Amino acid sequence: MESNNGTTIIVMSGEMDKVMAAFNIAIGAAAMGKETNMFFTFWGLKAIQKGNFTGRSFFGRMMGLMNRGGINRIGPSQFNFWGVGRWMFKQMMKNHHITPLEELRKMAMDLGVKLMPCQMSMEVMEIRLEDLIDGVEESCGVATMLERADRSKQTLFI
Amino acid sequence: MTEELKTVATIDLKGLVCPIPIVKVSQAIKQVKVGEVIEAFATDPGVLGDIPAWCKTSGNELVKMERVDKVFRFVVRRLV
């Protein structure tokens, strides 16, 4: 499906609330029949990581330890309080029957949203394709993103 | 017009919140033929704005939107 009416979302943030907004928008766009692409770069990569420790070099491993990925491990951008806020947010979401992030991600993929990891960020942070969840696209660069953005009516940077 | 439209499918969206209602509607509409009509029941007040917007963007027709107590009922006809 190639259209000129798509939606492209660049996910730079790796925080629970922002990632949630990104997936919500992507799901809505896909449900409206738009070709939807999400590019995950820098901290955003955490949302599509399996959650294992990453890195090869000393700095890379340190980063993998202190900035461990995985969609269930990320906390909100405010009121995180070393994980207490994350727990609280999850409880509140459950109480209000809000779909958890992991399910939102699966729903997006089921609706045909393409999840595209940024090669350069993966390089810098020493994250390999094997560290990412199944079903993501091949890693790509800025030209791919811009080409998709060219075919989109909406391009968002989150 | 008092004659009620014949709906071919009914979906229950009660208790579901954004963006799930439009996802379910978009999936349900694909299951029926063009010209056929589906109805849905939701409790999220967000559908009041979201369903008309979804219809407009996806090219389908919002036939009816009404409120029965705390439940919103809407009827959509598949056009594309």
Side-chain angles (χ1 to χ4, degrees):
Chain A
M1 174 179 68
E2 205 163 286
S3 67
N4 288 308
N5 189 27
T7 300
T8 296
I9 303 171
I10 299 133
V11 188
M12 158 74 93
S13 312
E15 290 135 337
M16 178 201 246
D17 41 1
K18 296 182 185 182
V19 167
M20 187 169 163
F23 276 113
N24 261 338
I25 297 167
I27 287 168
M32 281 171 154
K34 290 165 178 292
E35 180 192 348
T36 310
N37 305 290
M38 296 175 86
F39 288 88
F40 293 87
T41 185
F42 275 90
W43 318 115
L45 283 172
K46 289 201 272 188
I48 51 168
Q49 274 180 251
K50 282 179 186 151
N52 51 293
F53 290 114
T54 55
R56 290 184 308 274
S57 68
F58 174 71
F59 285 141
R61 282 179 196 196
M62 205 160 80
M63 185 123 207
L65 190 69
M66 294 166 74
N67 185 51
R68 196 169 160 189
I71 202 157
N72 291 320
R73 202 168 275 116
I74 55 178
S77 60
Q78 290 184 50
F79 298 109
N80 191 19
F81 304 119
W82 304 279
V84 179
R86 173 178 61 200
W87 175 82
M88 197 189 78
F89 263 99
K90 282 187 180 174
Q91 289 304 312
M92 286 175 77
M93 281 166 67
K94 201 185 275 178
N95 294 344
H96 292 282
H97 309 289
I98 310 284
T99 316
L101 259 183
E102 198 173 359
E103 277 176 47
L104 281 181
R105 184 178 67 188
K106 188 180 179 303
M107 189 176 285
M109 292 168 89
D110 289 346
L111 287 168
V113 175
K114 298 248 180 334
L115 311 184
M116 314 177 89
C118 160
Q119 174 61 39
M120 188 272 281
S121 321
M122 286 171 66
E123 207 75 50
V124 174
M125 299 166 102
E126 298 182 6
I127 295 165
R128 299 161 306 167
L129 216 48
E130 303 93 88
D131 299 325
L132 303 180
I133 57 161
D134 295 332
V136 298
E137 305 292 306
E138 284 288 305
S139 56
C140 61
V142 71
T144 312
M145 186 278 284
L146 289 172
E147 191 264 333
R148 298 300 168 100
D150 248 354
R151 292 199 266 122
S152 300
K153 270 196 178 153
Q154 299 146 337
T155 301
L156 309 172
F157 186 95
I158 299 176
Chain B
M1 198 173 79
T2 49
E3 189 193 339
E4 191 60 3
L5 281 160
K6 197 167 158 250
T7 55
V8 294
T10 301
I11 44 175
D12 181 12
L13 306 170
K14 292 197 277 288
L16 301 173
V17 293
C18 174
I20 313 301
I22 60 161
V23 173
K24 299 265 183 196
V25 172
S26 70
Q27 285 167 339
I29 206 93
K30 285 189 195 131
Q31 306 296 319
V32 305
K33 295 191 194 81
V34 173
E36 286 184 333
V37 171
I38 61 167
E39 68 174 341
F41 296 90
T43 47
D44 175 24
V47 299
L48 280 175
D50 272 9
I51 294 299
W54 175 82
C55 287
K56 200 176 161 197
T57 312
S58 63
N60 295 292
E61 182 195 351
L62 179 63
V63 180
K64 195 179 214 174
M65 172 82 89
E66 62 186 355
R67 189 181 173 153
V68 187
D69 291 324
K70 282 179 180 168
V71 177
F72 303 99
R73 173 181 178 265
F74 51 91
V75 180
V76 177
R77 188 197 311 274
R78 179 171 181 183
L79 291 185
V80 286

